[in-house]
Amino acid sequence: MVVDSYQKKEERKHKNSIPSREAIIFLLQKYKNLMSQKKIEKKLCINNQNNKKALHHRLKLMEQDGQVIHVKKRFYTVPQHCKVIQGTVIGHRDGYGFLRTDILKDDLFLSSDQMKYCIHGDIILAYIMLSDKKKRNSAKFLKLLKPNNLLIIGRYYIHKKISFVIPDDTRFNFKIFIISDLKEKISIGSIVSVKLLYQSGRNIKVQGYITEVLGKKMSTNLAIDIALRTHSIPFLWSQAVKSELYEINNKSVEYDIKNRIDLRHLHFITIDDEDAHDFDDAVFCKKKNNTEENWSLLVAISDVSFYVKSNTAIDKEALSRGTSIYFPSLVIPMLPEKISTDLCSLNPQVDRLCVICEMNLSDKGELMSYKHYEAVICSHGRFTYSEVSQLWNGDIFLKNKYQKSFKYIQNLFDLQKIFNKNKISKKGIDFNNIEPKFILDSNLRIKKICENIRNDAHKFIESCMILANIASSFFIKKYAHPVLFRNHASPKKDNVVRLRLFLHEMGLTLLGGDIPQSSHYSNLLKTISNHSQYDIIQTILLRSMTQAIYSPDHCGHFGLDLSSYVHFTSPIRRYPDLIVHRIIKYLLLQNKKNIIHKKDNISKNYLYTTHEMREIGMHCSMAERRADIANRDVFDWLKCEFMHQKIGCILKGVISNVTSFGFYVRLNKFFIDGLVHITSLKDDYYYFDSLRLKLIGKAHKNIYRLGDVLQVQVVSVNLIERKIELSLYKSFS
């Protein structure tokens, strides 16, 4: 029996003489495991039925106050016995969900009961609970830290004069009841954006108000509108930005030109894709007669920082966007078009302000020395990768067309041959990805899908940009100035274990122990260069790696096999590059003033603090992921719209991913993935081997694994959920 010193006080306050909260907490603290209400009653000598009901009521009140945790049916514990964790809620169409955290490898399960307290996208505080019957750890909602304040896109309906919206995203598995009076009449089925009203408590109808009517008939442009709003991507320019833009447009650059090195006589050219909108880099190279330094390579990068100053309205908006996003029919630029496609774009035959990275290379293309300086250049030509590649392959028509530039382009070719021979841009992991190229018709729908082939011109510019980024990293590191490194950490140990299990199934080995190096990945790729399933193996290697991020911490770049790396070459479209430019120019200015004699001297004049860099790095990493997801959303819709015409077709493909609910097949002809759901495999009961990524038949032992070649039939296409469903037609394995 537990002695309760608070009992008399409780008896004076309440009709029923049940144990005090303090006594209950003391008991639960003493008992390390979960305790049922029956056991609590026994320990506290509660026999009366009314007192049992009163105890249950008290426990519920204590749960609301966070003093105890109700784990499962009438089982309790105290918070001290549970681990509290913060995470983001990931909803599921069937009502339950998961809690995704930064520190746990696996997501925590959220029951449908717990999902009554939160919705997809909420950031919550929760308790980690013991494993359930399915051997998965679960979470119990404690507190809402940050509600999902994103707009939700859905279809508008009316039933019995009640307006509601059904979200397109099935992770929001509820109706949103519209509470405000609508000023305009909205036709049923229209696609709208909705802002939720914050509501606490359970079993309350979700309410919100419509912010915008986007349209009714889906199109590429509407898919883009939906992606922008779904992911809260800024796309409108404020009045403050427009006002600053007017001042910038009238800004004189003549004085600044006089203080720069004049390189307008050098034959710089830009090389980009056919559909490029902004040109932020130009290149020039020449052979030298030096025994150690055989080549001089100049990479000119547009001096965006001259026009965009820190903490201005334009700068704040650029940081908010973080990156430019290139949709099929629309660009959401990081900087206003007047800057990105005019003032700062290295258009041909116009003077432009640049920051130069001048590099001296050995006869093997290795970086020997470098220097940075401010200059003015004039691009002597705008070329596409295709044109340069054709010129290098001896196209007579283009040679005659570009006579004035030909010898300079030939210099680039001579340097590229050195790069190719010595694999300058392939020191790290050389992934040879096959990327699809979508050809759109006049209605912005997919007309044709073909392989996007990278030629030597692509590889040359890539090598030039990597070298310039390396040189810029070396330069800033000399002064120990805070900067945003482009970090790519080594693969996590668990991912390496899974990768090796997969490779073992293929008869392959990854060397390097627990922490393989970049060279081990590279050697494996060389080993399998002629393997029939090279693409799938390469994909699994990629999946085992971590995501690159921006951070002031110096961690190196695993993929490129570099000790340090920064982004310097694209300040028009990436905010971290703009920061690197500001730091480089700041250090150059300090050098001119002879202020820097020791590393310590610069500490009083930091342009950015490490803390500021960390905050900016986290935001830019998020903005990069946000842009990728939004772009994928749009292309997923385009793919589904294209495949809708192929329903019933029988196509050949290869298994590209295996999950517990089926496997995805990449259709060879279209580079598009569709799902063969496990329920469509009627010949057996299949279970999922998560380590080896297989579905295995329990009775007949049929196996479906990555790389298996199949014939499948297109069964259905869901344009709203952007899903393509396939059924197995024939297996070749």
Side-chain angles (χ1 to χ4, degrees), residues 189-243:
S190 292
I191 300 170
V192 298
S193 60
V194 179
K195 187 76 173 176
L196 294 184
L197 294 175
Y198 172 71
Q199 294 155 280
S200 60
R202 58 195 298 166
N203 297 325
I204 297 176
K205 289 181 179 179
V206 180
Q207 297 177 330
Y209 58 91
I210 292 173
T211 62
E212 196 176 0
V213 180
L214 300 176
K216 193 168 185 179
K217 188 177 180 182
M218 277 298 295
S219 65
T220 302
N221 286 334
L222 184 51
I224 293 171
D225 286 341
I226 290 172
L228 291 174
R229 288 153 180 82
T230 297
H231 301 289
S232 289
I233 296 171
F235 61 94
L236 298 174
W237 302 112
S238 68
Q239 190 55 51
V241 167
K242 293 175 183 176
S243 298

Side-chain angles (χ1 to χ4, degrees), residues 103-238:
I103 60 174
L104 295 178
K105 180 182 70 174
D106 298 319
D107 296 340
L108 299 169
F109 179 72
L110 284 164
S111 67
S112 53
D113 256 3
Q114 294 302 308
M115 286 298 291
K116 291 174 182 176
Y117 294 102
C118 52
I119 64 169
H120 171 74
D122 282 349
I123 297 175
I124 68 169
L125 202 62
Y127 295 116
I128 300 177
M129 308 312 296
L130 301 176
S131 297
D132 61 13
K133 291 178 182 178
K134 294 185 179 180
K135 296 183 179 180
R136 57 188 175 188
N137 286 331
S138 58
K140 186 172 178 65
F141 177 90
L142 175 62
K143 183 179 180 182
L144 177 64
L145 297 178
K146 186 180 178 183
N148 181 350
N149 60 359
L150 300 181
L151 295 173
I152 296 178
I153 307 299
R155 300 263 176 179
Y156 175 77
Y157 297 98
I158 300 175
H159 181 66
K160 294 182 179 179
K161 297 184 179 181
I162 298 174
S163 302
F164 61 92
V165 169
I166 297 179
D168 282 353
D169 189 337
T170 55
R171 291 174 297 187
F172 300 105
N173 70 329
F174 48 77
K175 295 176 182 177
I176 305 170
F177 292 90
I178 306 304
I179 61 166
S180 59
D181 293 329
L182 303 173
K183 295 178 181 178
E184 58 179 308
K185 187 176 180 182
I186 305 175
S187 58
I188 292 175
S190 292
I191 300 170
V192 298
S193 60
V194 179
K195 187 76 173 176
L196 294 184
L197 294 175
Y198 172 71
Q199 294 155 280
S200 60
R202 58 195 298 166
N203 297 325
I204 297 176
K205 289 181 179 179
V206 180
Q207 297 177 330
Y209 58 91
I210 292 173
T211 62
E212 196 176 0
V213 180
L214 300 176
K216 193 168 185 179
K217 188 177 180 182
M218 277 298 295
S219 65
T220 302
N221 286 334
L222 184 51
I224 293 171
D225 286 341
I226 290 172
L228 291 174
R229 288 153 180 82
T230 297
H231 301 289
S232 289
I233 296 171
F235 61 94
L236 298 174
W237 302 112
S238 68

Side-chain angles (χ1 to χ4, degrees), residues 329-538:
S329 62
L330 179 71
V331 177
I332 305 297
M334 184 182 80
L335 296 165
E337 289 83 346
K338 184 63 184 176
I339 296 175
S340 60
T341 62
D342 184 6
L343 295 175
C344 289
S345 185
L346 306 183
N347 300 326
Q349 311 309 325
V350 290
D351 296 346
R352 288 289 182 258
L353 305 181
C354 289
V355 178
I356 305 293
C357 180
E358 182 176 337
M359 296 167 282
N360 293 310
L361 311 177
S362 71
D363 59 352
K364 293 183 179 180
E366 298 167 318
L367 181 63
M368 303 296 290
S369 62
Y370 61 86
K371 60 181 176 179
H372 294 77
Y373 51 87
E374 296 171 272
V376 57
I377 74 161
C378 178
S379 171
H380 288 251
R382 179 269 198 266
F383 293 86
T384 66
Y385 293 116
S386 177
E387 286 175 326
V388 170
S389 179
Q390 289 174 61
L391 280 165
W392 287 353
N393 287 317
D395 190 297
I396 301 300
F397 173 77
L398 289 177
K399 184 178 178 180
N400 292 331
K401 181 180 178 181
Y402 298 119
Q403 279 184 357
K404 292 181 180 179
S405 297
F406 181 72
K407 73 172 184 177
Y408 302 102
I409 294 175
Q410 192 62 33
N411 281 346
L412 302 180
F413 185 40
D414 292 340
L415 183 55
Q416 169 56 15
K417 285 188 281 188
I418 292 172
F419 285 164
N420 259 348
K421 182 180 178 181
N422 297 287
K423 296 181 170 52
I424 288 300
S425 66
K426 300 176 183 178
K427 295 294 184 185
I429 306 170
D430 183 27
F431 286 114
N432 186 23
N433 293 330
I434 297 176
E435 295 183 356
K437 185 174 183 179
F438 298 95
I439 311 298
L440 305 184
D441 60 20
S442 57
N443 295 317
L444 303 177
R445 304 289 173 91
I446 295 177
K447 178 182 178 182
K448 182 183 177 184
I449 303 173
C450 56
E451 187 179 333
N452 192 14
I453 299 172
R454 293 175 73 252
N455 56 41
D456 270 357
H458 287 94
K459 296 170 186 175
F460 173 74
I461 292 298
E462 180 183 50
S463 298
C464 292
M465 299 305 120
I466 289 174
L467 286 169
N469 288 336
I470 293 170
S472 300
S473 178
F474 287 163
F475 176 72
I476 296 172
K477 274 183 69 183
K478 279 196 304 185
Y479 302 103
H481 194 287
V483 70
L484 280 182
F485 290 103
R486 181 63 168 176
N487 288 331
H488 186 218
S490 301
K492 294 179 180 177
K493 189 176 179 179
D494 289 341
N495 290 351
V496 173
V497 170
R498 290 193 188 99
L499 172 62
R500 287 202 167 108
L501 281 169
F502 166 75
L503 292 173
H504 180 73
E505 293 286 316
M506 308 286 286
L508 299 169
T509 303
L510 174 69
L511 301 176
D514 289 345
I515 309 175
Q517 302 300 307
S518 178
S519 58
H520 297 119
Y521 273 66
S522 295
N523 292 336
L524 177 59
L525 282 170
K526 290 172 188 173
T527 304
I528 63 166
S529 58
N530 296 317
H531 199 287
S532 60
Q533 295 183 356
Y534 175 87
D535 293 336
I536 292 298
I537 299 169
Q538 179 181 247

